[in-house]
Amino acid sequence: ENTIMFIASMILHEFLRDGERYLIDFMRSLKKEFPGSRFFLIEIDSPSWEELKTDPDAEHRLFIARYKLMHPLSNQGMPRPRVTWERLIKSAGWKLNQIHRARYYIDVFDCEL
């Protein structure tokens, strides 16, 4: 089968610096240009600071805290929770096939454009 596949690893949240509408428009343009393609979106399911305080895994707490602190200091878009990514994917008209959870709350969204 000649299916085009895309992988975006920890990058699309950077588009959110310019707002959700900007990212949704970008995602819609991919769907328009490459209909029927597969897209694997890899992003961190970013817990809130309150959730992070109660995480029993010290290594995970440190990893996420660094990640969350680094982004505002360098004017980057902020990571978002899984439910936000699900909403953004739906808003762009993409089909979400499955979500795979990896270490450190990293989610892989298996999508079709």
Side-chain angles (χ1 to χ4, degrees):
E1 194 174 322
N2 291 328
T3 301
I4 297 172
M5 299 177 96
F6 294 94
I7 299 173
S9 181
M10 312 265 191
I11 192 69
L12 284 190
H13 69 268
E14 302 298 346
F15 287 76
L16 292 167
R17 180 186 67 208
D18 298 319
E20 286 188 2
R21 180 87 266 143
Y22 184 79
L23 176 60
I24 291 168
D25 288 346
F26 173 74
M27 293 169 71
R28 284 183 177 160
S29 71
L30 287 175
K31 180 180 171 68
K32 182 179 177 185
E33 292 295 322
F34 303 100
S37 296
R38 296 288 294 277
F39 197 102
F40 295 91
L41 170 62
I42 304 167
E43 289 286 346
I44 289 181
D45 181 3
S46 185
S48 70
W49 287 109
E50 289 305 313
E51 292 171 316
L52 201 54
K53 287 179 189 177
T54 61
D55 187 332
D57 184 339
E59 185 180 351
H60 177 255
R61 280 194 318 272
L62 184 58
F63 173 82
I64 296 295
R66 283 184 191 144
Y67 196 78
K68 288 175 76 96
L69 290 169
M70 172 187 69
H71 279 70
L73 294 173
S74 55
N75 194 30
Q76 297 181 55
M78 287 298 290
R80 299 295 199 275
R82 174 191 284 201
V83 295
T84 300
W85 284 109
E86 290 179 75
R87 180 179 49 77
L88 292 169
I89 289 166
K90 183 178 179 181
S91 295
W94 292 12
K95 178 184 175 193
L96 180 58
N97 293 325
Q98 194 171 14
I99 303 171
H100 305 274
R101 172 58 60 98
R103 192 171 182 203
Y104 295 130
Y105 293 84
I106 295 172
D107 289 326
V108 179
F109 299 88
D110 175 355
C111 306
E112 288 182 46
L113 308 185

